[in-house]
Amino acid sequence: DTGVSQDPRHKITKRGQNVTFRCDPISEHNRLYWYRQTLGQGPEFLTYFQNEAQLEKSRLLSDRFSAERPKGSFSTLEIQRTEQGDSAMYLCASSLSGDRVAFFGQGTRLTVV
Amino acid sequence: AQRVTQPEKLLSVFKGAPVELKCNYSYSGSPELFWYVQYSRQRLQLLLRHISRESIKGFTADLNKGETSFHLKKPFAQEEDSAMYYCALKETSGSRLTFGEGTQLTVNP
């Protein structure tokens, strides 16, 4: 499968712990997006990168959330001091900047207990 | 702010019947509209986009700017069409997608 890859697929953590997710985009894609999806809702935008630059962040992205894409390839999303409300599916997507079609990964399901 | 509304969370039809999944949007500019589909245990994938004006898997969608709608239609539903469907909007100059809440389509035999 040469599509967008996310790791891990599932994560269970205790409240207050830090977690980090990884996303590997389609290799030639220079744009990378993070979305969050809670039960019964559509995906909600969190942030996006063009190459290594983080160009936009949603107000949903609190101070406990940080995303990086240091070399313009893979990206990480870290959540510090997790709360039960952080339980969700975290989706990564990538695209070419000249093409508005985004390709999604299978997501990382986070459960905070 | 832009908003996408899918009024039906669940839609059930019989095989061979026509199906229409509704999508309405609010946005002051000229948006780009998409339909994404998620089959069971699979990732979210693009079904079609309004600028392509093409039919994919028998589905079509027409952007109606007057009614601010982008309804998805198929004349004869198949069992393999059962899935979650999301309507999404992208701003003219933006990069983020704004999704609706989704419609779970079930096609019964």
Side-chain angles (χ1 to χ4, degrees):
Chain A
D1 186 354
T2 55
V4 178
S5 176
Q6 292 188 245
D7 182 71
R9 295 287 306 279
H10 303 273
K11 178 71 176 179
I12 300 174
T13 191
K14 291 184 177 179
R15 190 172 48 189
Q17 297 294 304
N18 299 344
V19 293
T20 300
F21 311 139
R22 177 181 170 121
C23 171
D24 287 272
I26 293 172
S27 58
E28 63 268 27
H29 286 184
N30 55 352
R31 286 192 173 176
L32 186 148
Y33 310 82
W34 285 99
Y35 289 82
R36 182 174 69 185
Q37 185 174 23
T38 53
L39 201 61
Q41 302 294 316
E44 296 174 293
F45 172 81
L46 291 178
T47 188
Y48 99 92
F49 294 82
Q50 178 150 316
N51 300 313
E52 66 275 9
Q54 188 172 19
L55 297 186
E56 189 177 356
K57 292 197 294 186
S58 162
R59 282 174 289 180
L60 291 175
L61 213 65
S62 76
D63 291 345
R64 297 183 297 106
F65 287 69
S66 63
E68 294 183 341
R69 195 183 183 198
K71 297 182 180 179
S73 57
F74 73 92
S75 175
T76 57
L77 177 68
E78 181 183 17
I79 308 174
Q80 296 182 325
R81 305 180 304 282
T82 53
E83 302 172 357
Q84 285 190 317
D86 297 331
S87 295
M89 177 73 85
Y90 289 84
L91 296 170
C92 178
S94 69
S95 73
L96 289 168
S97 56
D99 184 353
R100 295 178 175 275
V101 176
F103 293 83
F104 283 81
Q106 292 187 298
T108 294
R109 181 169 295 284
L110 173 66
T111 303
V112 182
V113 298
Chain B
Q2 64 272 23
R3 183 180 174 87
V4 176
T5 304
Q6 293 180 248
E8 302 140 328
K9 277 197 174 293
L10 302 171
L11 185 62
S12 183
V13 300
F14 285 102
K15 176 182 174 181
V19 62
E20 181 179 51
L21 291 84
K22 291 184 167 52
C23 172
N24 290 91
Y25 67 91
S26 61
Y27 176 60
S28 56
S30 293
E32 188 167 353
L33 275 296
F34 303 81
W35 276 99
Y36 277 82
V37 61
Q38 187 166 29
Y39 301 103
S40 180
R41 300 180 187 278
Q42 294 187 28
R43 67 186 67 199
L44 199 59
Q45 58 186 282
L46 178 70
L47 179 61
L48 53 79
R49 54 197 295 197
H50 89 268
I51 64 171
S52 299
R53 303 183 66 82
E54 55 190 348
S55 173
I56 304 293
K57 298 184 179 183
F59 285 97
T60 59
D62 291 318
L63 179 61
N64 186 322
K65 291 186 178 181
E67 296 184 356
T68 59
S69 68
F70 188 56
H71 303 326
L72 183 67
K73 301 177 184 179
K74 185 169 183 176
F76 307 104
Q78 303 299 314
E79 289 180 66
E80 55 265 32
D81 296 329
S82 295
M84 179 68 85
Y85 291 80
Y86 294 97
C87 182
L89 175 154
K90 184 171 283 190
E91 299 173 24
T92 311
S93 59
S95 294
R96 66 167 71 186
L97 285 166
T98 299
F99 285 87
E101 294 186 345
T103 297
Q104 178 67 52
L105 173 66
T106 301
V107 181
N108 299 298

